[in-house]
Amino acid sequence: MKRLQGFFIVALLSAWTLSASAGTLDEVKARGYLTVGVNGQVFGFSMPDEKGQWKGLDVDTARAIAAAVFGDASKIKFVPLTAVQRLPALQSKEVDVLCRNTTQTLLRETTNGLNFAHVNFYDGQGFMVPKKLGIKSAKELSGATVCVLPGTTTELNAADFFRKNNLQWKPVVIEQNTELNKAFFSGRCDVLTSDVSQLAGHRAVAPNPQDYVILPEVISKEPLAPVVRHGDDQWFDIVNWTVMALIQAEEFGITSKNVDEMLKSADPEIQRFLGVTPGLGTALGLDDKWAYNIVKQVGNYGEIFERNVGPQTPLAMERGLNALWTKGGLMYAAPFR
């Protein structure tokens, strides 16, 4: 009996040790789906449509991670988080990754113990005002009431901008995006400040989008990227290289429509990328078809951009900095070899 009890104690301790040392990839696989922190209130980036289907550039980035891990982009759970909630939720393992318009900063990567993967959207902070005010420049905003989210680089950047330009302002700080938008569109604030992409998204779903104008000044650099916790190199690699796979697929000219045909390519780089030549998936702890699964089920970066925020969408955004490096933008992937 004592031997049997000892066996069970050793077995339990071994199981506990394995669980305690398990990486995020093991935990995600054991659960059977990916949990992703998203905004949930920004049209074009992460927001349910009228049928409750999640859509947006950040949503598709998250689905790409699920496709890489499971070979199935649908094995995912979206967790809406406010700006204040997002970092603690990741730190406490409530979510596996943030795909939530979060700006990479030095303190977030050090003091907060986080790692930012490759940027999936280069942005900058701007200001939106009602057209009827006749304001043409952010430097005309002295004395304005400004709607802003707390716990964001947006709040800090706005304070810096008004101080540097010797302008007075009255911040109206509201945590929920929906309530912040209501305050602005109801006239409680003169100005709404956020990343330009978010301003475009909020304007797109306003009662009368044509009544609002985004001012020309961009007052900050906002490299937005998926975020993971410090200390799990394998999981960081998977998320980081997933974003780069989206970019590299576009550079190769591989799309969701032609990816099966591209499996026949004689190009050795494409053969490695799509897993025809094995090795890259194994290095990440994934199936060698991981990049193929991403492109087949989600598309390349250009496809994701165009269907969510591009010129033919209500946001009508040009690629700009988010174009490939070969076309004057900043989207550049490291070598897949």
Side-chain angles (χ1 to χ4, degrees):
M1 179 64 73
K2 287 183 178 179
R3 284 186 180 180
L4 192 59
Q5 287 175 336
F7 171 79
F8 281 122
I9 290 171
V10 171
L12 286 170
L13 286 172
S14 298
W16 180 86
T17 302
L18 181 62
S19 174
S21 62
T24 306
L25 177 62
D26 295 329
E27 294 170 357
V28 169
K29 284 185 172 180
R31 187 192 310 125
Y33 60 89
L34 180 71
T35 58
V36 182
V38 293
N39 188 305
Q41 299 176 351
V42 180
F43 182 78
F45 285 83
S46 63
M47 188 174 181
D49 64 14
E50 62 278 1
K51 296 180 181 178
Q53 298 296 313
W54 283 92
K55 291 186 176 180
L57 188 144
D58 283 336
V59 167
D60 282 344
T61 301
R63 288 197 172 111
I65 299 168
V69 172
F70 293 107
D72 186 344
S74 70
K75 289 191 174 183
I76 195 165
K77 176 184 177 183
F78 296 106
V79 181
L81 299 167
T82 67
V84 173
Q85 295 168 338
R86 58 184 168 172
L87 301 187
L90 179 61
Q91 291 160 335
S92 64
K93 293 192 172 186
E94 182 183 342
V95 296
D96 304 311
V97 59
L98 285 181
C99 290
R100 192 207 172 282
N101 55 282
T102 302
T103 302
Q104 181 179 18
T105 71
L106 184 149
L107 291 180
R108 285 175 176 170
E109 285 212 327
T110 53
T111 303
N112 291 321
L114 304 174
N115 281 341
F116 283 75
H118 195 288
V119 172
N120 72 334
F121 195 87
Y122 289 97
D123 211 343
Q125 185 174 334
F127 301 93
M128 182 162 65
V129 297
K131 192 178 293 184
K132 65 182 181 182
L133 295 181
I135 293 173
K136 303 298 182 184
S137 166
K139 293 184 179 180
E140 300 173 33
L141 294 177
S142 187
T145 54
V146 182
C147 278
V148 62
L149 289 170
T152 61
T153 54
T154 305
E155 186 179 16
L156 300 175
N157 292 337
D160 286 347
F161 172 80
F162 283 98
R163 184 167 57 250
K164 282 190 297 187
N165 289 283
N166 296 313
L167 303 173
Q168 298 298 311
W169 71 305
K170 301 171 186 175
V172 177
V173 180
I174 302 173
E175 184 174 344
Q176 292 284 350
N177 254 313
T178 50
E179 296 304 314
L180 190 77
N181 292 343
K182 284 180 184 177
F184 173 68
F185 291 121
S186 68
R188 181 178 167 190
C189 312
D190 302 314
V191 185
L192 179 62
T193 186
S194 189
D195 296 343
V196 172
S197 63
Q198 288 193 56
L199 295 178
H202 296 324
R203 181 174 63 178
V205 294
N208 297 293
Q210 69 280 1
D211 291 345
Y212 302 91
V213 60
I214 298 173
L215 299 178
E217 287 89 353
V218 176
I219 67 168
S220 69
K221 294 181 291 184
E222 304 294 331
L224 309 179
V227 196
V228 297
R229 293 176 290 276
H230 263 176
D232 189 336
D233 290 345
Q234 183 186 32
W235 186 241
F236 170 76
D237 289 341
I238 289 169
V239 174
N240 188 47
W241 284 92
T242 290
V243 179
M244 286 199 280
L246 294 170
I247 298 165
Q248 187 61 56
E250 183 182 9
E251 185 176 338
F252 278 146
I254 306 172
T255 70
S256 57
K257 294 179 180 178
N258 71 12
V259 65
D260 288 318
E261 187 64 26
M262 294 295 278
L263 288 170
K264 304 171 188 175
S265 172
D267 186 326
E269 289 187 277
I270 292 177
Q271 289 179 342
R272 282 195 300 271
F273 181 75
L274 293 177
V276 176
T277 302
L280 296 185
T282 302
L284 290 168
L286 303 175
D287 189 280
D288 278 322
K289 293 291 187 182
W290 68 283
Y292 166 86
N293 290 330
I294 290 172
V295 182
K296 179 69 174 178
Q297 297 180 37
V298 186
N300 65 34
Y301 183 79
E303 290 179 278
I304 290 172
F305 187 99
E306 293 302 323
R307 70 168 167 258
N308 290 302
V309 302
Q312 302 307 311
T313 71
L315 275 72
M317 301 189 77
E318 299 295 335
R319 288 291 292 268
L321 295 177
N322 295 295
L324 292 178
W325 67 285
T326 54
K327 297 182 178 179
L330 298 178
M331 285 299 176
Y332 182 110
F336 279 74
R337 60 180 315 121

